[in-house]
Amino acid sequence: MLTSVEHHQIKARGFTDIKEKVIEEEVLRTEPHTHDKSYYGCTLEGSFRVNNTVHYPGDFFEVLAGEEHIEVAGQGTKIIIGSK
């Protein structure tokens, strides 16, 4: 099975459970929240905002476990993301 360059870069940083996701509905999580896992991903289509940084196609982003953050993404945004 062929995998993308983005997939290989995420895997090389030690992240697993790597999935491509298409945002079906607009995401607007403006209340700060945290996750139990760390996440590292790349925007493939559209834009994905984490805190004050907007990530466009080709941009990688990271959210560490316990890091307070917000998330905003438009409908149809496509990302690839792994966790650890």
Side-chain angles (χ1 to χ4, degrees):
M1 178 176 137
L2 295 175
T3 54
S4 67
V5 170
E6 295 87 0
H7 182 277
H8 287 294
Q9 289 180 351
I10 293 167
K11 186 176 179 179
R13 292 188 64 141
F15 289 83
T16 59
D17 194 25
I18 301 167
K19 299 177 183 175
E20 283 190 18
K21 293 184 174 186
V22 176
I23 308 300
E24 299 293 335
E25 296 182 14
E26 184 176 320
V27 173
L28 187 59
R29 296 185 187 133
T30 57
E31 288 296 318
H33 64 280
T34 62
H35 298 284
D36 292 337
K37 296 181 179 184
S38 292
Y39 291 91
Y40 186 71
C42 181
T43 303
L44 301 175
E45 296 176 13
S47 63
F48 188 73
R49 179 178 153 204
V50 179
N51 292 330
N52 294 321
T53 304
V54 180
H55 304 278
Y56 296 100
D59 292 342
F60 284 84
F61 55 87
E62 184 170 21
V63 177
L64 300 175
E67 178 182 354
E68 199 169 82
H69 65 285
I70 64 167
E71 303 166 19
V72 178
Q75 183 179 6
T77 294
K78 185 175 180 182
I79 62 173
I80 183 170
I81 192 165
S83 62
K84 68 175 176 180

